[in-house]
Amino acid sequence: MNTNTINIAIDGPAGAGKSTIAKRLAKKLGYIYVDTGAMYRAMAYYFLQKGIESSDEAAIANACKDVDVTIAYEGNEQQVILNGENITGFIRTEQVGNMASATSVYPVVRTKLVELQRQLAKKENVIMDGRDIGTCVLPDANVKIYLTASSRTRALRRYEELKAKGEDCELDVIEKDIIDRDYRDMHRETSPLKQAEDAVLLDSSDLNIDEVVDAIMKIYEGKMEKE
């Protein structure tokens, strides 16, 4: 157990609401929120900018040497910095998301980012969300949550999000992408998505954001009382 800082790990499939929940919790507790997905998206954005195919592992491994990804905060808002440039506004597209899912399977990509994530967790009280935080990145996290929801629920949330932005999209296509991404994440060779043995399973299909935050706060408070 990490005795110097408190670490909370939230894992789960794409679209389960991990980032939204983690941000709310971080604000409530005064912890640093580390969006690991944004870091993988930053790498993916770099590969796309360089015209590298997701299947070209050698080119990706070579490109990783030239990538520096950092997280900064301005006015309590997280900024993602790639090689000195703020790319926060460019990494939330479906294209970048799919590239991140496809390239995160490569050990060289994961090794580079995991090192940075662990350094942050040693220095600060953090809430980190991703696919393998409780199993691989922070195996000694004080609190571990596995947050999930049905594929239809997750697709509906994404559909409404995209429609609100004025983007044209189809619910069935979004759900198929989510199911495909789940399969890739759960069957990848390196650090597959799975629930850590000591993680608490939380299904958010029938819960709103506030209800999920309250549920995790109760789990957190219970764990802290025992320590």
Side-chain angles (χ1 to χ4, degrees):
M1 189 64 70
N2 193 331
T3 54
N4 300 317
T5 57
I6 296 170
N7 299 162
I8 299 175
I10 302 178
D11 289 308
K18 299 185 300 295
S19 298
T20 302
I21 301 303
K23 285 174 191 171
R24 289 274 189 101
L25 285 164
K27 198 170 184 182
K28 206 172 177 105
L29 293 167
Y31 289 5
I32 298 292
Y33 166 61
V34 182
D35 181 354
T36 60
M39 296 168 79
Y40 282 101
R41 281 173 177 267
M43 295 280 274
Y45 177 79
Y46 181 81
F47 302 146
L48 286 167
Q49 291 297 102
K50 294 295 179 183
I52 299 170
E53 294 289 330
S54 63
S55 57
D56 193 344
E57 187 175 356
I60 283 167
N62 195 48
C64 279
K65 298 169 190 170
D66 302 320
V67 180
D68 179 46
V69 180
T70 57
I71 300 286
Y73 277 82
E74 288 175 18
N76 290 327
E77 288 294 318
Q78 176 183 270
Q79 308 297 321
V80 184
I81 314 298
L82 171 67
N83 294 340
E85 180 191 352
N86 190 329
I87 59 160
T88 309
F90 303 105
I91 61 172
R92 292 296 172 188
T93 65
E94 289 292 289
Q95 185 188 23
V96 172
N98 288 326
M99 184 69 162
S101 179
T103 55
S104 65
V105 301
Y106 300 126
V108 68
V109 174
R110 305 187 69 76
T111 300
K112 179 127 186 174
L113 291 175
V114 167
E115 185 184 347
L116 176 59
Q117 291 154 13
R118 285 177 176 161
Q119 284 172 4
L120 276 167
K122 281 179 183 173
K123 294 178 197 166
E124 307 277 357
N125 292 334
V126 301
I127 296 179
M128 212 176 280
D129 72 282
R131 305 286 193 276
D132 63 346
I133 308 305
T135 52
C136 299
V137 182
L138 301 177
D140 295 327
N142 305 71
V143 179
K144 297 181 187 179
I145 306 292
Y146 189 84
L147 184 66
T148 190
S150 69
S151 60
R152 196 64 175 180
T153 298
R154 290 183 281 139
L156 271 167
R157 289 171 183 168
R158 184 64 179 152
Y159 175 81
E160 286 164 6
E161 193 181 296
L162 291 170
K163 279 290 183 187
K165 291 178 182 174
E167 292 186 33
D168 190 32
C169 54
E170 291 180 36
L171 182 59
D172 289 340
V173 172
I174 293 170
E175 185 175 18
K176 184 184 180 300
D177 281 347
I178 281 173
I179 291 167
D180 288 347
R181 193 178 296 187
D182 285 351
Y183 185 86
R184 283 201 305 270
D185 289 342
M186 289 174 178
H187 292 82
R188 67 190 182 201
E189 211 170 299
T190 307
S191 305
L193 168 66
K194 63 180 178 180
Q195 182 180 340
E197 287 182 13
D198 53 348
V200 179
L201 176 65
L202 184 56
D203 190 319
S204 69
S205 298
D206 301 316
L207 302 175
N208 63 35
I209 292 168
D210 290 335
E211 288 169 335
V212 175
V213 170
D214 288 345
I216 295 177
M217 279 299 293
K218 282 178 185 170
I219 294 164
Y220 164 81
E221 285 162 3
K223 291 268 188 183
M224 291 300 101
E225 280 173 14
K226 290 176 184 174
E227 290 187 14

